[in-house]
Amino acid sequence: MPAAADHNLFRQLGLKHPLIVAPMAGGPSSVDLVAAASAAGALGAMGGAYSNAAAIEAFADQVRQRTDRPFSINLFIPHSIPEVAADRLQRAVAATARYREELELPSPQLAAPYEEDFDAQFEAVLRVKPACFSFVFGLLPIDHIREAKKAGISLIGTATTLEEARALEDSGVDAIVLQGFEAGGHRGIFDAGAADPEIGMRDLLAQCVGTIRVPLIAAGGIMTPSDIRAALQAGAQVVQMGTAFLACTEAGTSAPYRKKLVETSERRTRTTRAFSGRFARGIENRFMDEMDGKPDAILAFPAQNKFTRDIRAASTAKGLPDFLSLWSGTGRGELWQGSAAELIGRLFAE
């Protein structure tokens, strides 16, 4: 079991503030947002899951052109899935046909692979050598852990239960994100087909403090200075915030996504498999509402993610939020629309 001295990890990184600006793959975690967060004394994080090796290296180069501060790269741990059965694909095509017709899209063509080559992505991370490498959906293989340690890269896993946190600690990670049920975006559950444990951040933190000895990072529903103070007082060493930064000027959040986020302070969210095949929390919209009633027409992750990509891209291009994955946590309040540095300053003004 790692020694208590590991709690110095974030001081060793030289962070001014105990904050990670969450990795938000698919656009929001732009080069500008990652660099701005790190330059302001937090840890910026690239959501690299949908990027190939060359794109990961190019992204890191651009961040380093903007700041010499540490940053993190995040990837999805891959899981083998069977080939999509023809009848299942037919159901999915039929269930989404009217959306593609509305968006003037051709019939979909779906073929493996459904995701980027993880080993190639990881090799790019090793070449880039970010301060931290974080991951979701499981455990990093032991040989990958050895290579990261050899490169001097700190490892951050993601847990939604105490059992997952224990497994991560035993595997040799340097810190663990405790992702509460309130968090926006993909749930970090190890088993893609499992029921969601639905454990809130505060409860999960209470279960892990005193049991897990590596630094704990609280994530889920954190929006305000008082939220941050409560998480730190409850035993987290650091907080991770994503939703709060989605409307910042540097965020790569698309126009219809951004408009939906800021039009009300009472965002109605829930978890769904509709967009990717994995549970993820987002703002309720038409696609989510209608597809959640057709579970047999939703493919397994990551096939569903690839299958709906054309729908989401066309929805963005037409300025429509109806068919977008509007990932958002449960935190309430108006979203900051100024710079990330200004928001970080406001969060830690005291």
Side-chain angles (χ1 to χ4, degrees):
M1 184 176 288
D6 283 350
H7 288 278
N8 293 321
L9 169 65
F10 296 101
R11 285 196 292 275
Q12 291 168 5
L13 291 175
L15 301 185
K16 181 180 178 183
H17 305 296
L19 168 67
I20 298 172
V21 176
M24 297 175 283
S29 289
S30 65
V31 167
D32 288 341
L33 180 60
V34 174
S38 290
L43 185 69
M46 174 197 185
Y50 307 134
S51 302
N52 62 26
I56 289 171
E57 292 189 74
F59 189 105
D61 286 344
Q62 292 173 59
V63 171
R64 285 182 168 140
Q65 289 169 19
R66 290 163 171 78
T67 181
D68 60 359
R69 302 297 300 155
F71 65 95
S72 179
I73 296 175
N74 175 273
L75 295 177
F76 294 168
I77 297 295
H79 295 266
S80 60
I81 66 166
E83 185 67 30
V84 176
D87 61 333
R88 192 67 180 260
L89 180 57
Q90 287 172 0
R91 284 198 296 272
V93 170
T96 56
R98 60 173 172 161
Y99 308 137
R100 290 193 168 88
E101 184 178 353
E102 286 182 42
L103 296 167
E104 301 175 284
L105 291 170
S107 296
Q109 302 295 318
L110 181 69
Y114 307 120
E115 59 191 337
E116 294 294 334
D117 182 330
F118 177 80
D119 287 332
Q121 291 176 316
F122 187 75
E123 288 297 326
V125 171
L126 293 178
R127 290 191 293 272
V128 166
K129 292 188 179 179
C132 299
F133 170 65
S134 67
F135 52 93
V136 295
F137 302 159
L139 302 175
L140 189 64
I142 187 63
D143 56 333
H144 291 63
I145 289 176
R146 291 196 194 100
E147 290 299 314
K149 300 279 190 183
K150 191 188 304 181
I153 302 170
S154 296
L155 296 173
I156 303 174
T158 305
T160 62
T161 65
L162 173 59
E163 292 71 28
E164 290 177 350
R166 282 179 170 145
L168 285 163
E169 182 177 42
D170 291 343
S171 77
V173 299
D174 298 292
I176 299 171
V177 173
L178 298 180
Q179 187 197 50
F181 187 53
E182 307 91 341
H186 279 101
R187 303 282 289 129
I189 304 164
F190 285 15
D191 181 353
D196 195 318
E198 299 187 2
I199 304 171
M201 182 270 290
R202 292 298 296 273
D203 288 341
L204 185 55
L205 191 55
Q207 291 173 23
C208 293
V209 168
T211 300
I212 304 300
R213 297 181 64 202
V214 298
L216 301 175
I217 302 159
I222 301 172
M223 293 283 287
T224 66
S226 61
D227 292 337
I228 294 171
R229 282 195 301 273
L232 297 178
Q233 289 168 0
Q237 281 75 45
V238 177
V239 297
Q240 179 167 286
M241 300 171 66
T243 303
F245 287 86
L246 281 170
C248 285
T249 53
E250 299 93 342
T253 312
S254 70
Y257 185 178
R258 189 179 291 265
K259 183 176 184 295
K260 194 70 174 177
L261 285 163
V262 302
E263 68 184 10
T264 175
S265 62
E266 297 295 317
R267 292 169 291 279
R268 293 183 57 185
T269 71
R270 70 168 188 268
T271 59
T272 181
R273 294 185 188 270
F275 293 101
S276 73
R278 258 189 180 271
F279 282 125
R281 179 177 292 281
I283 299 172
E284 296 175 353
N285 65 359
R286 179 184 163 194
F287 189 82
M288 186 192 298
D289 290 342
E290 295 178 0
M291 288 301 296
D292 279 349
K294 306 170 186 176
D296 289 343
I298 297 174
L299 306 177
F301 178 89
Q304 179 74 2
N305 192 63
K306 185 174 182 180
F307 179 72
T308 63
R309 191 169 292 155
D310 62 332
I311 293 174
R312 288 176 281 128
S315 191
T316 298
K318 291 179 179 293
L320 301 172
D322 295 347
F323 310 104
L324 289 181
S325 46
L326 303 167
W327 301 147
S328 175
T330 62
R332 292 288 181 257
E334 300 294 335
L335 293 179
W336 180 252
Q337 297 183 61
S339 73
E342 290 169 330
L343 176 55
I344 291 170
R346 290 164 66 94
L347 291 171
F348 293 96
E350 299 175 21

